[in-house]
Amino acid sequence: MKHALITALLASATLLGNAQNQQKAETCNQQHYVPTAENLQARNEFSDNRFGIFLHWGLYSMFAQGEWYLNYGPNKDEYAKVADAFYPHSFNAEKWISAIKASGAKYICFTTRHHEGFSMWDTKQSDYNIMNTPYGKDIVRQLADECHKQGIGLHLYYSHIDWTREDYPAGRTGLTTGKDPKKADWNHYYKFMNAQLTELLTNYGKVDGIWFDGWWDHDEDTIPFNWQLPEQYAMIHKLQPACIIGNNHHQTPFEGEDMQMFERDIPGENKNGLSGQSISRLPLETCQTMNGMWGYKIKDQNYKSAKELIRLLVRTAAKGANLLLNIGPQPNGELPATALDRLADMGKWLNGNAGESIYRTVAGEVALGDSIVSTCGKGKKAPLYIHILTDKKDGEIAVTMKGKAKKATNLITGDKLAFRKDKATGKTIFELNDRKGDEDDYIIKVEF
């Protein structure tokens, strides 16, 4: 993921101009992308899921300093020595996926290869992989098999950049790792990436999505860098037509992409400086950390509360987007205990009546800042769900909405709620006599 230092750079008009030039250079003279029927169906299913879990795990967990540790000074060859001690003896794919499924999440996105260049599967394209560690077992294989077994969607993160390989033409990150810039060979590196992607898309069963990262490494280049994305995207869609492609480039989606992600921001917000791009009509996803970092960092125990995470999920769904919530597994292969607690709390909430207002919904018409948002079921007679996300205890709320309300209930308890139409304002007023004020989310189900 991007370091905070990059935020200010991406905000400048110069960078945006370069980004637009690069996008044009990559799509020039390419045939227009036409998604298959399988792909369109996969997009709908992806949007219906609304909740997934991001898993940032690699050699960087051994240093316990986050996934960008190699960028901050270590020599790549010294860094690589930790592979000889990587033995996540407590890793258990069944336990991971079971906990994730119980949380109410419908899919995972796993970092097969991050910017550090280490591959977490049995790749034949590089010796720098999980099989050449004391552990010696294919992590991706175990996760893929368990996802397929338990009915959890499998999305695979893949970094477009590499801070260790000499053939990758370095951009503006990973410049202190000891690489020789004279040995850069884009054609060789591009073939290497495509060979690895082919392995992932042919050897591990159904892959629901590929999640790219790293395009921004060349967004300052004087001459636009051609990532050759259209050809790569076409290869992926040929191998698995239903596989949806997303790219964390912080731009409006490029042709060939099937979803749009927003890093650390809900669509329409730009609090972290990475999400100023326009919102497309593709399926949307917000990726956010459960604590502060993506990869495991020993000092980062600043976990968001269960209430904060539930409200984040609700506000994201109310924008018509999925929440991809990150966990950084420990070097021993376990998910942190606090992360497991948060998953359990979210599952308790989602697997009760509340899930009805999240899964298979679209953005609702009622939105009053962050305190009152709404989701809506699909179909002409679908109910509207009004979510009250404040600890302030109000006896009633007044909202503007289309249609004539027939019935209103507290979704969690099932109790009926009294309501009336204010003729002067046209607003519908709901009485909330049963509201305590400390709910994670007070949900009014309105039927028409």
Side-chain angles (χ1 to χ4, degrees):
M1 306 306 292
K2 298 196 68 178
H3 183 260
L5 182 61
I6 297 174
T7 299
L9 296 173
L10 283 175
S12 71
T14 300
L15 295 189
L16 289 176
N18 285 347
Q20 292 168 355
N21 289 336
Q22 290 176 45
Q23 180 181 352
K24 291 177 182 178
E26 293 185 20
T27 58
C28 183
N29 298 322
Q30 297 295 327
Q31 292 183 344
H32 288 293
Y33 168 54
V34 179
T36 62
E38 303 101 302
N39 188 278
L40 294 175
Q41 177 63 28
R43 294 182 187 186
N44 289 332
E45 293 173 355
F46 173 72
S47 292
D48 285 347
N49 287 337
R50 282 293 175 252
F51 183 33
I53 296 297
F54 217 165
L55 295 159
H56 270 73
W57 198 33
L59 286 185
Y60 43 83
S61 68
M62 294 284 284
F63 299 97
Q65 299 297 317
E67 77 289 351
W68 271 59
Y69 178 65
L70 180 57
N71 185 61
Y72 303 132
N75 176 276
K76 63 181 180 64
D77 296 326
E78 293 300 312
Y79 181 97
K81 291 178 181 178
V82 78
D84 196 40
F86 192 40
Y87 187 71
H89 56 88
S90 295
F91 172 67
N92 185 309
E94 190 276 332
K95 287 185 178 180
W96 277 29
I97 302 305
S98 293
I100 288 169
K101 184 174 184 177
S103 76
K106 302 300 184 182
Y107 64 99
I108 67 167
C109 183
F110 180 72
T111 52
T112 63
R113 173 177 166 273
H114 207 269
H115 313 327
E116 67 173 5
F118 184 78
S119 299
M120 296 289 280
W121 78 97
D122 185 10
T123 178
K124 307 305 180 185
Q125 312 308 317
S126 169
D127 291 335
Y128 197 37
N129 68 70
I130 190 67
M131 305 307 290
N132 294 316
T133 68
Y135 183 69
K137 299 176 186 177
D138 190 327
I139 296 293
V140 174
R141 168 71 63 198
Q142 295 174 70
L143 287 173
D145 289 349
E146 200 59 43
C147 281
H148 296 144
K149 179 181 178 180
Q150 296 198 38
I152 295 296
L154 177 66
H155 293 234
L156 302 178
Y157 169 109
Y158 188 85
S159 174
H160 268 134
I161 68 178
D162 194 309
W163 293 331
T164 62
R165 286 184 64 95
E166 301 280 10
D167 54 358
Y168 170 69
R172 56 185 171 84
T173 65
L175 301 179
T176 60
T177 65
K179 288 174 52 174
D180 183 354
K182 295 180 181 179
K183 295 182 179 180
D185 184 344
W186 167 251
N187 289 333
H188 188 268
Y189 180 71
Y190 185 67
K191 291 178 181 178
F192 157 76
M193 286 197 299
N194 287 341
Q196 284 208 317
L197 288 165
T198 298
E199 288 179 340
L200 292 171
L201 289 160
T202 56
N203 298 336
Y204 296 89
K206 186 175 185 290
V207 175
D208 297 280
I210 295 292
W211 208 100
F212 284 118
D213 195 15
W215 180 94
W216 34 261
D217 197 40
H218 282 280
D219 61 9
E220 287 184 340
D221 293 4
T222 303
I223 300 175
F225 187 84
N226 186 359
W227 288 97
Q228 296 179 256
L229 295 179
E231 297 89 346
Q232 192 170 69
Y233 291 173
M235 179 196 75
I236 293 170
H237 286 135
K238 182 178 180 180
L239 291 170
Q240 293 208 30
C243 182
I244 62 175
I245 297 173
N247 196 322
N248 190 37
H249 44 49
H250 311 121
Q251 310 295 314
T252 301
F254 301 165
E255 187 164 358
E257 295 170 6
D258 305 300
M259 55 87 76
Q260 180 179 12
M261 68 269 286
F262 297 81
E263 185 176 343
R264 292 187 183 272
D265 278 306
I266 293 172
E269 298 181 358
N270 192 20
K271 297 178 180 179
N272 288 281
L274 298 173
S275 303
Q277 67 271 32
S278 60
I279 301 173
S280 72
R281 298 182 66 181
L282 294 174
L284 309 176
E285 180 184 74
T286 287
C287 60
Q288 180 58 277
T289 55
M290 191 178 283
N291 46 1
M293 297 293 292
W294 301 99
Y296 178 69
K297 185 175 182 179
I298 195 168
K299 289 186 177 181
D300 183 13
Q301 298 301 314
N302 187 29
Y303 282 83
K304 299 172 182 65
S305 68
K307 177 181 286 189
E308 288 177 298
L309 294 175
I310 288 170
R311 291 181 174 181
L312 174 62
L313 173 61
V314 171
R315 290 192 295 111
T316 304
K319 292 290 186 178
N322 291 10
L323 174 63
L324 183 62
L325 186 61
N326 183 74
I327 298 174
Q330 298 169 168
N332 69 347
E334 291 181 321
L335 300 180
T338 305
L340 289 171
D341 288 342
R342 296 295 185 270
L343 290 180
D345 289 339
M346 295 185 77
K348 182 179 180 180
W349 184 79
L350 274 168
N351 293 323
N353 294 338
E356 176 186 329
S357 69
I358 301 297
Y359 304 122
R360 296 173 294 281
T361 62
V362 296
E365 60 182 295
V366 176
L368 300 174
D370 287 343
S371 59
I372 298 178
V373 299
S374 63
T375 54
C376 185
K378 295 182 177 181
K380 292 183 178 180
K381 295 184 179 181
L384 175 72
Y385 303 95
I386 301 174
H387 303 261
I388 303 177
L389 307 174
T390 174
D391 292 332
K392 182 180 178 181
K393 184 178 180 180
D394 295 315
E396 60 182 33
I397 64 164
V399 300
T400 300
M401 61 184 191
K402 299 176 183 178
K404 184 178 180 180
K406 175 184 177 181
K407 180 182 179 181
T409 55
N410 179 325
L411 180 61
I412 302 302
T413 65
D415 295 336
K416 290 185 178 180
L417 300 176
F419 62 94
R420 65 187 186 277
K421 191 74 171 283
D422 187 303
K423 294 182 179 180
T425 63
K427 294 183 177 182
T428 302
I429 301 173
F430 296 91
E431 296 181 10
L432 312 177
N433 296 327
D434 63 341
R435 182 149 189 260
K436 300 176 182 178
D438 61 352
E439 297 94 343
D440 295 333
D441 176 17
Y442 184 96
I443 309 170
I444 304 171
K445 178 180 180 180
V446 185
E447 298 176 65
F448 298 92

